[in-house]
Amino acid sequence: MEDNSITGDAESKQIDTDKSVDVEFWSTKFDVSTDQLKEAVRVAGNSADAVEAYLKK
């Protein structure tokens, strides 16, 4: 059976700060440092939409 799971891109919509590929992808997408991304995930949760809304404040 083929593994169709996608990590580290917009289709995932969940940010896993334990995976460097996710941290790199999302910090680049949101144009923030890895520390800023990790703080946003800590505060807003791992939903990419929630993190984006937090970072836009």
Side-chain angles (χ1 to χ4, degrees):
M1 184 171 197
E2 190 175 332
D3 180 7
N4 291 326
S5 63
I6 299 171
T7 303
D9 67 27
E11 289 186 35
S12 173
K13 290 296 194 181
Q14 299 296 312
I15 302 170
D16 185 346
T17 56
D18 292 329
K19 292 185 178 180
S20 61
V21 67
D22 275 14
V23 173
E24 183 178 337
F25 175 84
W26 291 107
S27 60
T28 299
K29 179 166 177 62
F30 295 141
D31 194 28
V32 297
S33 71
T34 58
D35 288 339
Q36 288 171 308
L37 179 72
K38 289 177 181 181
E39 175 66 10
V41 170
R42 188 186 69 75
V43 172
N46 69 342
S47 162
D49 291 337
V51 169
E52 183 175 28
Y54 173 82
L55 291 170
K56 286 184 176 182
K57 287 184 180 180

